[in-house]
Amino acid sequence: NAGVTQTPKFRVLKTGQSMTLLCAQDMNHEYMYWYRQDPGMGLRLIHYSVGEGTTAKGEVPDGYNVSRLKKQNFLLGLESAAPSQTSVYFCASSIGHYTEAFFGQGTRLTVV
Amino acid sequence: AQTVTQSQPEMSVQEAETVTLSCTYDTSENNYYLFWYKQPPSRQMILVIRQEAYKQQNATENRFSVNFQKAAKSFSLKISDSQLGDTAMYFCAFMSYDMRFGAGTRLTVKP
């Protein structure tokens, strides 16, 4: 049972490049989340999804897009990377409201 | 929108002693869950304890317990008999329609 898997684990991008982070969960969870973690700021919610085909904005959605075409996958896209998007990105999933979230190992992204 | 505040950026405690980490939150919701997560240097997020807002009884998990004051919107974590392995970042989290985190408290357990 893999739980929540994030791909890739590390990435360096040049300013203006695009990329997609993949999150996959094998627990049949309805809810999935993308967070970014920056020093002194905790985890801030970027986007989330409450089910296949649905997405919603979180606290810091600007510069990111997401898609949930399949229940088990939640993709986070950066169309034109900026140095301010240098961060550690975490994906999480949960059965639904009011239940604990399970996290992936994180992706360290550096934009130069 | 819900906000979560952890007012202690860093704390330290001697091994075997007790330490309390503070968390306050702001919400207009009546039904929600609260969590404490631990993040060791490995970066993995580990659930420490959870509390349902509708339960008056404070949650406990071995050496970890919470003091949940719903009216005051306060949710502190007490770690008893601190161990070196408790050294980590600790995040308070609030969940209703989505899940929001505080800025974290870096706890160091000293031998």
Side-chain angles (χ1 to χ4, degrees):
Chain A
N1 188 345
V4 180
T5 303
Q6 292 182 229
T7 309
K9 293 192 169 38
F10 302 93
R11 185 73 185 269
V12 178
L13 282 181
K14 292 183 179 179
T15 297
Q17 285 185 318
S18 64
M19 78 162 294
T20 300
L21 280 66
L22 170 64
C23 178
Q25 53 94 5
D26 61 2
M27 297 173 282
N28 201 36
H29 286 175
E30 289 293 336
Y31 285 59
M32 297 187 76
Y33 312 83
W34 275 108
Y35 293 91
R36 60 177 288 173
Q37 182 177 16
D38 302 291
M41 304 186 78
L43 282 77
R44 292 182 292 167
L45 182 65
I46 304 172
H47 287 279
Y48 66 102
S49 169
V50 301
E52 182 178 316
T54 72
T55 63
K57 293 180 180 180
E59 301 169 83
V60 288
D62 293 343
Y64 305 95
N65 56 76
V66 289
S67 64
R68 183 102 181 264
L69 299 180
K70 294 183 178 181
K71 187 177 183 179
Q72 64 267 33
N73 296 336
F74 195 30
L75 278 64
L76 177 70
L78 286 73
E79 290 187 349
S80 179
S84 60
Q85 294 177 304
T86 293
S87 188
V88 177
Y89 292 84
F90 282 95
C91 176
S93 70
S94 64
I95 294 173
H97 282 321
Y98 313 129
T99 59
E100 71 178 276
F102 293 82
F103 284 80
Q105 292 277 37
T107 296
R108 181 175 294 280
L109 175 67
T110 303
V111 183
V112 298
Chain B
Q2 283 72 230
T3 59
V4 181
T5 301
Q6 292 180 250
S7 59
Q8 304 152 316
E10 294 188 15
M11 293 191 73
S12 64
V13 63
Q14 292 295 131
E15 196 175 7
E17 305 256 309
T18 296
V19 64
T20 299
L21 309 183
S22 301
C23 174
T24 59
Y25 57 94
D26 185 27
T27 184
S28 57
E29 302 287 333
N30 192 47
N31 293 322
Y32 50 87
Y33 271 44
L34 296 161
F35 304 89
W36 279 97
Y37 280 86
K38 169 184 177 181
Q39 187 183 46
S42 66
R43 211 166 67 190
Q44 180 65 43
M45 293 288 286
I46 302 166
L47 178 69
V48 174
I49 199 165
R50 81 188 85 189
Q51 174 78 45
E52 297 91 332
Y54 64 86
K55 288 188 177 179
Q56 291 186 329
Q57 186 173 6
N58 289 324
T60 62
E61 286 286 343
N62 300 315
R63 297 182 296 107
F64 299 89
S65 61
V66 299
N67 183 2
F68 174 48
Q69 303 289 329
K70 190 172 184 179
K73 296 179 182 175
S74 171
F75 182 60
S76 61
L77 174 70
K78 185 171 83 170
I79 306 174
S80 304
D81 186 25
S82 297
Q83 300 176 359
L84 296 178
D86 295 334
T87 292
M89 283 289 291
Y90 286 82
F91 293 100
C92 176
F94 174 100
M95 178 181 265
S96 60
Y97 293 100
D98 60 28
M99 191 169 191
R100 303 291 175 107
F101 286 81
T105 296
R106 182 176 300 280
L107 176 67
T108 302
V109 180
K110 298 180 178 178

